[in-house]
Amino acid sequence: MHFQSVTFDLDGTLLDTIADLAEGCRLMLAEVGAPARSQAEVHSFVGKGMAVLVERCLTHGQAPTAEALYAAIESFKRHYSEVNGRLTQIYPGVQEGLEAWKASGLKMGVVTNKPGMFTEALLERMGMTAYFDVIVSGDTTAHKKPHPEPILHACRLFGVRPDRNLHIGDSENDILSARAAGCPTFCVPYGYNEGKPVDSADCDALVSDLLAAYRQALTFKTS
């Protein structure tokens, strides 16, 4: 196989976390006295990390003040910590895909924009921690995806050149981050991507699930 390591996005790629995120947002908005948001709205707000999610929830025509945003973020942290993983579902094909990747002997990692305080607790709760050699969260490096630094950081920890790492995600943020890092990237079509369908023309392969990604990777060749 061309690859020596593989990195996975978390929300929208490995796990369907939207019900927990929506509940955390509902409780936060009620606490700060802001209008409620539907789960569909929250779905379209996910992708660029917790602070952006909260800001988007609060924005109605104009952005919230710095003070209001800070209070809402602190509220969201408390509420989401309580519900994190409670309603989360593992996407079809993920468990089988992770088993196949693990059996291949490749180094495996998670690269997510989710803050570390939620990432590790969620992976533990879902019984997935043991699959991964490296976990890079939204606050591990100075920048989040779509910046290349989170993926480059994972590659440094692996001791693998970026062009020998495959990044698998569900959004434009994943594609842009991987491209800038010099990594091939596969995308799954079922995730969030801020409410837009992911474009197969922008990634190296659009795959139905993680097991299909593994099978595709077996025959991957650089152009």
Side-chain angles (χ1 to χ4, degrees), residues 77-111:
K77 285 179 182 176
R78 289 196 309 276
H79 292 301
Y80 187 63
S81 292
E82 289 295 316
V83 301
N84 184 20
R86 189 179 295 171
L87 300 172
T88 290
Q89 300 290 318
I90 300 174
Y91 283 113
V94 165
Q95 209 80 53
E96 299 89 338
L98 291 176
E99 289 290 345
W101 286 105
K102 196 71 176 173
S104 74
L106 267 68
K107 297 173 182 178
M108 297 167 63
V110 168
V111 178

Side-chain angles (χ1 to χ4, degrees), residues 5 10 17 37 44 50 62-63 65 92 102 107 113 116 129 135 144 161 173 180 211 222:
S5 62
L10 182 57
T17 56
R37 292 290 194 174
S44 71
M50 176 187 64
Q62 63 183 47
T65 65
K102 196 71 176 173
K107 297 173 182 178
N113 282 349
T129 307
I135 297 171
K144 299 178 178 68
R161 285 192 348 228
N173 291 322
L211 188 55
T222 54

Side-chain angles (χ1 to χ4, degrees), residues 174-198:
D174 290 297
I175 295 168
L176 292 173
S177 182
R179 286 277 183 256
C183 294
T185 179
F186 291 178
C187 283
V188 294
Y190 50 71
Y192 304 146
N193 197 30
E194 301 177 65
K196 302 169 292 190
V198 71

Side-chain angles (χ1 to χ4, degrees), residues 62-210:
Q62 63 183 47
T65 65
E67 294 80 4
L69 180 58
Y70 176 81
I73 288 172
E74 292 305 304
S75 173
F76 179 81
K77 285 179 182 176
R78 289 196 309 276
H79 292 301
Y80 187 63
S81 292
E82 289 295 316
V83 301
N84 184 20
R86 189 179 295 171
L87 300 172
T88 290
Q89 300 290 318
I90 300 174
Y91 283 113
V94 165
Q95 209 80 53
E96 299 89 338
L98 291 176
E99 289 290 345
W101 286 105
K102 196 71 176 173
S104 74
L106 267 68
K107 297 173 182 178
M108 297 167 63
V110 168
V111 178
T112 177
N113 282 349
K114 199 180 206 74
M117 65 183 289
F118 303 132
T119 301
E120 296 185 22
L122 179 59
L123 288 170
E124 186 71 33
R125 186 164 194 172
M126 302 307 293
M128 301 175 93
T129 307
Y131 286 112
F132 304 110
D133 305 290
V134 164
I135 297 171
V136 179
S137 297
D139 46 9
T140 302
T141 63
H143 301 281
K144 299 178 178 68
K145 297 178 294 183
H147 197 280
E149 181 57 24
I151 294 178
L152 290 173
H153 183 67
C155 291
R156 286 193 294 269
L157 293 174
F158 288 144
V160 169
R161 285 192 348 228
D163 64 305
R164 303 301 293 274
N165 178 74
L166 172 65
H167 183 68
I168 302 176
D170 68 315
S171 74
E172 184 180 37
N173 291 322
D174 290 297
I175 295 168
L176 292 173
S177 182
R179 286 277 183 256
C183 294
T185 179
F186 291 178
C187 283
V188 294
Y190 50 71
Y192 304 146
N193 197 30
E194 301 177 65
K196 302 169 292 190
V198 71
D199 191 338
S200 61
D202 294 332
C203 56
D204 293 290
L206 187 63
V207 292
S208 57
D209 57 39
L210 260 59

Side-chain angles (χ1 to χ4, degrees), residues 45 59 66 88 120 223:
F45 295 159
T59 299
T88 290
E120 296 185 22
S223 55

